[in-house]
C-alpha cells in the first residue's frame, strides 16, 4: 500500500509526445528523429483549435495557441550546440477559421474564465521556424542547451498551417568533451528524464561558484549593528563605544554596509554589494557619512544599517575619511547593538536540505523537530533574520534568501530540499501572518517560492521548495504534531490505495465549455486521462460533477456530499480539476473553505490535496487564508499537505503538470517525496514552467 512520503514532504530511446528516437549518438553529435503521429484540427466557435495530445502549448496571451516541445541537451562547461535540420515531412492545410489565440484569464462569477482575443501584431509576428535554439543555461550543475520544436507554422494572412509530421535533427556539441569525475546525485532519475544525452552529460557537470557578496561575519568575532535614518554625517560616541570590550583598538575599527546594484537594466533585477565606509576618528568619537548608494531606478528604500567591527582578518588597512568633516553637525545613531554570530561560516557539507525559520525563539524548536523527524536526511537550520543580516546587510529582502540558498547549494551539490517555516504575504510587514518573506520578481507578477532557488544562469528551480503556512506557535505545533503522527503512527487500510478525482462540470455561465476531448476545459476528459495514467494497483474513484444536478442556487451539493463521503472514508490523494479561487472549488460550490471545513472528519485519513485550478493556493493574502492553507491546519481533518496554484493558470498546462506529478509519485517503483515528484514534473515540462511556477507545496 502507498503512503505519501512527507518531506516537502516525504510522501536510450526517449518517448515524448509523438515519438522522439535517438538514431545515433556520441559525445559530439546526436541524430534525432521526432515524429508527430497524432493530432487534429477542429473548428470551435469562431476559431480552429489545434489538438496535439501530450504536447505543451505556448503561453503568450493573444498569440496563436501552438504546440511546442523543449528538448534539453547537456553540453560541456564551455560548450554549446549547433542544430541542423536533416530532413522533414511537412503537410500543408488550409483552414477556414483562424487558429485560436492563447486565452487571457479573467475573474468571472465565483471563479475565472478564458477570454479569447486575437492580438493582430502577435499573429503577424508568429514564429515561422520549426526549430529554435535557446542560449545555454545551468540546471543543478548541468550546462544545458535547449531546442524548441514547434511542429506547426501558422500563416495568419492566408489561414494556412504547415505541420511538420516528422523531422530529423543533427545536433553537434561543441566544447571540451573530456570526461570528468562522476559523482552520483540522489536525484539522478530527474536528470535522466531531463536530458536527452544524460549518459554522456553526467560526466560534464561542474560546480559553479557564484559571486555572492555578503557581510563577512567569519572574519571577526565582534560585530555591532548600527541603524541610521536620513543621509548625512553620523557619530558613534562614548555611549556606544563603551559596549565594546576594553581591549579593542579604536584605530582598528572598520564599518561596512550593503547596497543594491542593478544587474539587468531591462528587468531591474538587482543584487547586493558589500562596501566599506570610511571613518573619521577624533577625540574618542567615530564619524561616518551615510549617502545614497542604491540605484534610484529600483524604487526601494536604501539600506539604513551599518556594521562596525574590529580584529578584522584582512591585510588591508581600514578605510578613513581623508578630509575633516563638520563634526558639529553629526547625527547620533538610532540604535547600536552587538550581533552574536551563529553558524555564519556555512561550512557544513553533504546537506540534503535547509530549514529556514523566522528568528531565534520563533519556530526554531519546531524546525529542529522537523529535522529530527527526517533523521535519514542531513538538514541545516538557519534563521531568516541571520540570512537578512549576512546576505543583505540587514535589509529584509527576499534576494538575501536566494543568495544564501545559492551559496549553500554551491558548497553542497547534494542539496535538494528547502522548507520555509511560516506563512508570508505579498504585503511584508509586522503582521502575524508575515513570518517568512515571499518573493515576486516584480509588482505585477505573482509570488513564487521557486524564485528563491532559480540561481544565476538558470531559468528553472534547482530545489524542491515547501512552506508550512503557520502564523503562530499554536499552528506550527499543531502541524508538527500532525506530520509526526502521519509518519510515526500511520493508520493502515485500503484508503492508502485510493485516489479521489473530482472534475468540474463543463457548465459555465449558463453555457458549456470544453468541447473536444483535448480542450483544456474538458475537465471530465482530463480526469479520465489522469485515472488511466496511474498504476493499475491504485483505485481511482471519480466523482463526475456533470452527473449531478443543480439546486435552486445553481450549485451541486450532491456532488459535494459524494466527494466529502470519499474523503471522510479515506483516500491517499484528493484531486480537484476545474475552476476555482482562494475560497471555492468550482462555480457550483463543490467546496468552499469559509463554509465547508466542518464537513471534514478525516483526521485519521489525511490525503494529499491537489487543485489543478486558479488561485486555490493563494497563500500570500494578508487578510484571508486560502483553501490550501486551511486544509493543512484544519483540526478535525483536512489534508497532510496541499499542492495548488497561487494565481491564474491554464487548463491543459495544469493537468499536464499534475498528471506527470502523480505518475512520478505513485507509479514509480521507487518511493519519492512530494517535493521530488513536483520538481520532477516542473522540470520535465520545462516549456510551460511559467505556468508550473504558480504551484506550491503547503
Amino acid at each position: 500500500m502507498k503512503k505519501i512520503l512527507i518531506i516537502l514532504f516525504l510522501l536510450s530511446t526517449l518517448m515524448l509526445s509523438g515519438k522522439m528516437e535517438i538514431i545515433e549518438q556520441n559525445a559530439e553529435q546526436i541524430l534525432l528523429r521526432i515524429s508527430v503521429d497524432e493530432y487534429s484540427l477542429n473548428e470551435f466557435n469562431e476559431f480552429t483549435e489545434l489538438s496535439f495530445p501530450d504536447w505543451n502549448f505556448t503561453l503568450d496571451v493573444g498569440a496563436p495557441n501552438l504546440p511546442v516541445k523543449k528538448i534539453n541537451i547537456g553540453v560541456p562547461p564551455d560548450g554549446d550546440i549547433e542544430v541542423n535540420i536533416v530532413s522533414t515531412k511537412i503537410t500543408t492545410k488550409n483552414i477556414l477559421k483562424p487558429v485560436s489565440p492563447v486565452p487571457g484569464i479573467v475573474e468571472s462569477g465565483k471563479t475565472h474564465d478564458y477570454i479569447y482575443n486575437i492580438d493582430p501584431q502577435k499573429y503577424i509576428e508568429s514564429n515561422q521556424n520549426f526549430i529554435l535554439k535557446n542560449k545555454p543555461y545551468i540546471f543543478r550543475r548541468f550546462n544545458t542547451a535547449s531546442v524548441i520544436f514547434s511542429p506547426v507554422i501558422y500563416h495568419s494572412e492566408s489561414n494556412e498551417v504547415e505541420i511538420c509530421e516528422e523531422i530529423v535533427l543533427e545536433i553537434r556539441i561543441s566544447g571540451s568533451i573530456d570526461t570528468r569525475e562522476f559523482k552520483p546525485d540522489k536525484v539522478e532519475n530527474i536528470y535522466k528524464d531531463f536530458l536527452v544525452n544524460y549518459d554522456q552529460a553526467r560526466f560534464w557537470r561542474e560546480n559553479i561558484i557564484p559571486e555572492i557578496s555578503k557581510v563577512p561575519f567569519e572574519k571577526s568575532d565582534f560585530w555591532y549593528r548600527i541603524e541610521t535614518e536620513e543621509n548625512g554625517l553620523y557619530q558613534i560616541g562614548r555611549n556606544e563605544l563603551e559596549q565594546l570590550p576594553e581591549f579593542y583598538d579604536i584605530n582598528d575599527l572598520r564599518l561596512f554596509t550593503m547596497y543594491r546594484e542593478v544587474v539587468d537594466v531591462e528587468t531591474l533585477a538587482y543584487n547586493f554589494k558589500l562596501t566599506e565606509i570610511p571613518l573619521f576618528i577624533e577625540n574618542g568619537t567615530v564619524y561616518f557619512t551615510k549617502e545614497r548608494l542604491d540605484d534610484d531606478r529600483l524604487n526601494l528604500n536604501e539600506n539604513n544599517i551599518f556594521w562596525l567591527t574590529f580584529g578584522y582578518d584582512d591585510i588591508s588597512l581600514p578605510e578613513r575619511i581623508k578630509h575633516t568633516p563638520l563634526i558639529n553637525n553629526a547625527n547620533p545613531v538610532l540604535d547600536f547593538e552587538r550581533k552574536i554570530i551563529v553558524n555564519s561560516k556555512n561550512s557544513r557539507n553533504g546537506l540534503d536540505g535547509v530549514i529556514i525559520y523566522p528568528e531565534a525563539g520563533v519556530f526554531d524548536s519546531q524546525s529542529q523537530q522537523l529535522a529530527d523527524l527526517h533523521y535519514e536526511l542531513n538538514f541545516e537550520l538557519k534563521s531568516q533574520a541571520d540570512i537578512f543580516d549576512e546576505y543583505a546587510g540587514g535589509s529584509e529582502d527576499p534576494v538575501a534568501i536566494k543568495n544564501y540558498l545559492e551559496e549553500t547549494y554551491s558548497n553542497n551539490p547534494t542539496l535538494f530540499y528547502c522548507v520555509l517555516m511560516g506563512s508570508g504575504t505579498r504585503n511584508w510587514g509586522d503582521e502575524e501572518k508575515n513570518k517568512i518573506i515571499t518573493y515576486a520578481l516584480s509588482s505585477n507578477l505573482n509570488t513564487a517560492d521557486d524564485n528563491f532557488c532559480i540561481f544565476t544562469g538558470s531559468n528553472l528551480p534547482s530545489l524542491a521548495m515547501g512552506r508550512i503556512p503557520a502564523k503562530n506557535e499554536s499552528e506550527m505545533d499543531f502541524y508538527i504534531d500532525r506530520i509526526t503522527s502521519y509518519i510515526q503512527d500511520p493508520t493502515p487500510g485500503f484508503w492508502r490505495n485510493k485516489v479521489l478525482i473530482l472534475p468540474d462540470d463543463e457548465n459555465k455561465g449558463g453555457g458549456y465549455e470544453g468541447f473536444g476531448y483535448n480542450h483544456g476545459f474538458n475537465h471530465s476528459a482530463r480526469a479520465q486521462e489522469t485515472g488511466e495514467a496511474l498504476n493499475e494497483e491504485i483505485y481511482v474513484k471519480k466523482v463526475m460533477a456533470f452527473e449531478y444536478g443543480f439546486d435552486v442556487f445553481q450549485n451541486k451539493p450532491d456532488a459535494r456530499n459524494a466527494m466529502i463521503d470519499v474523503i471522510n472514508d479515506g483516500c491517499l490523494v484528493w484531486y480537484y480539476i476545474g475552476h476555482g479561487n482562494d475560497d471555492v472549488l468550482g462555480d457550483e460550490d463543490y467546496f468552499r473553505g469559509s463554509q465547508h471545513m466542518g464537513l471534514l472528519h478525516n483526521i485519521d485519513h489525511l490525503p494529499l490535496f491537489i487543485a489543478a485550478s486558479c488561485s486555490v493556493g493563494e497563500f500570500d493574502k494578508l487578510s484571508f487564508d486560502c483553501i490550501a492553507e486551511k486544509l493543512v491546519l484544519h483540526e478535525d481533518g483536512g489534508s497532510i499537505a496541499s499542492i495548488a496554484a497561487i494565481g491564474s493558470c491554464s487548463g491543459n498546462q495544469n493537468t499536464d503538470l499534475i498528471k506527470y506529478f502523480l505518475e512520478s509519485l505513485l507509479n514509480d517503483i521507487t518511493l519519492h517525496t512530494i517535493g521530488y515528484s513536483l520538481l520532477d514534473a516542473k522540470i520535465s515540462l520545462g516549456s510551460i514552467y511559467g505556468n508550473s511556477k504558480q504551484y506550491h507545496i503547503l
Side-chain angles (χ1 to χ4, degrees):
M1 292 186 181
K2 290 282 185 180
K3 178 173 77 170
I4 300 293
L5 295 178
I6 304 291
I7 173 61
L8 295 181
F9 296 85
L10 269 180
L11 206 32
S12 55
T13 296
L14 178 66
M15 297 299 295
L16 297 171
S17 53
K19 294 180 180 178
M20 186 168 79
E21 177 187 0
I22 297 175
I23 302 171
E24 295 179 11
Q25 179 180 2
N26 57 48
E28 298 177 301
Q29 176 183 297
I30 302 171
L31 198 61
L32 199 64
R33 178 187 292 115
I34 306 173
S35 303
V36 182
D37 54 4
E38 183 182 352
Y39 66 88
S40 62
L41 281 63
N42 308 298
E43 291 187 3
F44 176 63
N45 291 336
E46 67 266 38
F47 299 116
T48 298
E49 291 197 348
L50 308 183
S51 175
F52 281 66
D54 295 327
W55 283 74
N56 300 326
F57 279 75
T58 52
L59 297 174
D60 187 10
V61 174
N65 199 11
L66 303 175
V68 293
K69 179 60 63 179
K70 185 178 182 181
I71 304 159
N72 296 299
I73 312 294
V75 299
D78 56 345
D80 202 345
I81 59 173
E82 176 187 332
V83 183
N84 299 306
I85 298 176
V86 177
S87 65
T88 58
K89 184 186 295 183
I90 298 172
T91 297
T92 301
K93 296 180 181 292
N94 292 307
I95 55 178
L96 297 177
K97 298 179 179 180
V99 169
S100 62
V102 177
I105 303 174
V106 298
E107 292 186 2
S108 174
K110 300 175 185 176
T111 58
H112 298 80
D113 203 355
Y114 278 178
I115 300 296
Y116 293 85
N117 289 324
I118 288 176
D119 184 322
Q121 192 62 33
K122 291 181 179 180
Y123 269 59
I124 293 172
E125 297 172 354
S126 176
N127 174 49
Q128 300 295 299
N129 297 294
F130 291 120
I131 294 297
L132 176 67
K133 185 181 84 70
N134 288 338
K135 293 191 302 183
Y137 62 95
I138 299 166
F139 170 66
R140 287 188 64 88
R141 299 187 298 135
F142 282 97
N143 290 275
T144 307
S146 61
V147 178
I148 303 296
F149 174 41
S150 303
V152 176
I153 292 176
Y154 175 49
H155 304 285
S156 58
E157 297 89 346
S158 59
N159 249 11
E160 184 179 80
V161 292
E162 295 180 67
I163 301 173
C164 184
E165 297 180 335
E166 181 180 285
I167 190 168
V168 176
L169 301 176
E170 178 194 46
I171 301 172
R172 293 186 173 273
I173 300 172
S174 63
S176 176
I177 62 173
D178 296 336
T179 60
R180 296 160 177 79
E181 181 183 4
F182 170 59
K183 294 182 179 180
D185 197 325
K186 293 180 180 179
V187 293
E188 290 298 314
N189 285 336
I190 288 182
Y191 309 143
K192 292 176 183 178
D193 293 338
F194 177 65
L195 295 170
V196 169
N197 61 334
Y198 162 79
D199 287 338
Q200 179 62 48
R202 59 183 173 158
F203 296 107
W204 294 335
R205 275 185 282 199
E206 67 168 345
N207 192 22
I208 308 298
I209 307 300
E211 294 183 6
I212 291 176
S213 187
K214 61 180 183 177
V215 179
F217 290 133
E218 72 277 5
K219 290 194 173 186
S220 173
D221 293 329
F222 296 92
W223 290 88
Y224 298 84
R225 188 179 192 271
I226 299 171
E227 287 194 29
T228 62
E229 197 169 23
E230 69 272 358
N231 294 340
L233 185 69
Y234 283 84
Q235 67 177 19
I236 306 171
R238 180 176 301 174
N239 290 339
E240 290 80 29
L241 295 177
E242 284 180 349
Q243 299 181 40
L244 277 62
E246 292 182 358
F247 57 80
Y248 92 95
D249 181 353
I250 195 170
N251 294 310
D252 189 34
L253 292 177
R254 293 175 183 259
L255 189 69
F256 295 91
T257 192
M258 296 192 79
Y259 66 96
R260 297 174 180 87
E261 180 180 71
V262 172
V263 295
D264 188 320
V265 295
E266 291 186 7
T267 64
L268 292 185
Y270 61 88
N271 216 326
F272 282 91
K273 292 294 182 181
L274 179 75
T275 187
E276 184 173 355
I277 303 298
L279 301 176
F280 180 78
I281 301 172
E282 184 172 281
N283 297 328
T285 301
V286 178
Y287 301 88
F288 67 95
T289 300
K290 176 185 181 295
E291 57 187 358
R292 177 83 187 191
L293 293 173
D294 288 352
D295 194 312
D296 290 332
R297 292 173 295 179
L298 294 175
N299 195 29
L300 293 167
N301 292 327
E302 59 188 317
N303 200 346
N304 292 317
I305 299 169
F306 295 79
W307 297 92
L308 185 73
T309 187
F310 68 93
Y312 188 77
D313 184 14
D314 195 285
I315 61 173
S316 65
L317 295 175
E319 293 285 336
R320 294 292 181 256
I321 296 176
K322 294 181 172 56
H323 63 276
T324 302
L326 300 175
I327 59 177
N328 292 333
N329 296 326
N331 300 303
V333 297
L334 300 183
D335 191 37
F336 187 94
E337 181 181 7
R338 183 179 177 186
K339 178 177 177 62
I340 304 301
I341 306 302
V342 178
N343 195 27
S344 64
K345 295 185 179 180
N346 196 21
S347 59
R348 294 184 64 184
N349 293 317
L351 290 177
D352 297 299
V354 296
I355 299 175
I356 299 175
Y357 58 93
E359 61 184 345
V362 181
F363 302 162
D364 49 356
S365 62
Q366 296 95 331
S367 297
Q368 187 62 59
Q369 287 178 268
L370 184 64
D372 293 342
L373 187 61
H374 299 289
Y375 57 86
E376 73 283 1
L377 299 174
N378 184 16
F379 278 100
E380 175 171 282
L381 278 57
K382 189 85 169 179
S383 83
Q384 177 179 246
D386 283 339
I387 293 172
F388 286 157
D389 285 349
E390 187 171 3
Y391 292 87
S395 291
E396 296 181 349
D397 193 298
V399 172
I401 295 179
K402 173 183 175 294
N403 286 348
Y404 159 70
L405 290 175
E406 184 165 3
E407 183 181 59
T408 304
Y409 174 68
S410 175
N411 294 332
N412 299 270
T414 57
L415 187 71
F416 189 74
Y417 298 105
C418 176
V419 184
L420 305 176
M421 298 289 284
S423 55
T425 80
R426 69 192 72 163
N427 305 110
W428 183 248
D430 296 330
E431 297 82 3
E432 183 186 42
K433 197 173 180 180
N434 282 315
K435 290 297 188 290
I436 297 292
I437 201 167
T438 61
Y439 194 0
L441 295 180
S442 69
S443 59
N444 62 340
L445 293 177
N446 286 331
T447 290
D449 284 345
D450 277 0
N451 288 332
F452 290 121
C453 63
I454 299 177
F455 299 145
T456 303
S458 183
N459 54 16
L460 292 172
S462 290
L463 304 177
M465 301 291 299
R467 180 185 288 261
I468 300 176
K471 298 184 288 294
N472 50 53
E473 295 287 330
S474 176
E475 288 184 350
M476 186 61 78
D477 286 338
F478 171 82
Y479 184 80
I480 295 299
D481 288 345
R482 165 175 280 193
I483 195 173
T484 300
S485 176
Y486 184 92
I487 293 173
Q488 295 184 347
D489 189 24
T491 303
F494 179 73
W495 71 276
R496 290 184 176 276
N497 268 49
K498 188 191 304 180
V499 170
L500 165 66
I501 306 178
L502 187 148
D504 197 356
D505 65 16
E506 283 66 48
N507 178 75
K508 184 69 177 176
Y512 290 93
E513 62 184 2
F515 288 100
Y517 182 82
N518 294 299
H519 193 283
F521 278 171
N522 192 334
H523 312 300
S524 302
R526 301 289 76 74
Q528 185 69 21
E529 193 175 69
T530 301
E532 292 173 353
L534 297 184
N535 190 313
E536 61 183 11
E537 295 181 1
I538 300 292
Y539 171 60
V540 179
K541 170 62 178 177
K542 292 189 284 290
V543 176
M544 307 299 288
F546 73 82
E547 296 179 349
Y548 294 83
F550 291 96
D551 65 9
V552 294
F553 303 105
Q554 293 300 295
N555 296 328
K556 292 194 171 184
D558 291 340
R560 177 194 313 129
N561 293 336
M563 176 185 70
I564 294 295
D565 286 345
V566 177
I567 296 167
N568 286 337
D569 186 54
C571 57
L572 183 73
V573 174
W574 166 18
Y575 178 27
Y576 170 74
I577 302 172
H579 294 289
N581 65 29
D582 56 357
D583 188 48
V584 69
L585 304 182
D587 290 282
E588 294 76 9
D589 266 27
Y590 305 114
F591 190 86
R592 187 174 284 274
S594 58
Q595 296 180 12
H596 301 138
M597 297 300 298
L599 300 177
L600 298 176
H601 306 288
N602 61 318
I603 191 64
D604 294 323
H605 308 91
L606 296 171
L608 167 64
F609 169 72
I610 307 171
S613 181
C614 294
S615 305
V616 174
E618 193 174 359
F619 67 84
D620 63 345
K621 278 188 174 179
L622 182 60
S623 58
F624 189 81
D625 293 344
C626 66
I627 293 176
E629 290 175 276
K630 289 176 178 175
L631 285 171
V632 297
L633 296 171
H634 177 51
E635 291 187 1
D636 200 24
S639 67
I640 190 63
S642 298
I643 296 177
I646 199 167
S648 300
C649 46
S650 184
N652 272 332
Q653 285 86 351
N654 295 340
T655 50
D656 286 348
L657 175 75
I658 302 305
K659 181 163 75 75
Y660 196 106
F661 163 77
L662 289 172
E663 288 176 310
S664 172
L665 186 70
L666 301 178
N667 288 4
D668 200 316
I669 192 170
T670 302
L671 288 178
H672 295 312
T673 65
I674 295 174
Y676 176 102
S677 292
L678 185 59
L679 185 63
D680 186 12
K682 288 181 177 182
I683 298 306
S684 297
L685 300 174
S687 57
I688 60 167
Y689 176 64
N691 193 81
S692 303
K693 189 178 184 179
Q694 305 280 347
Y695 282 82
H696 292 74
I697 299 174
L698 300 176

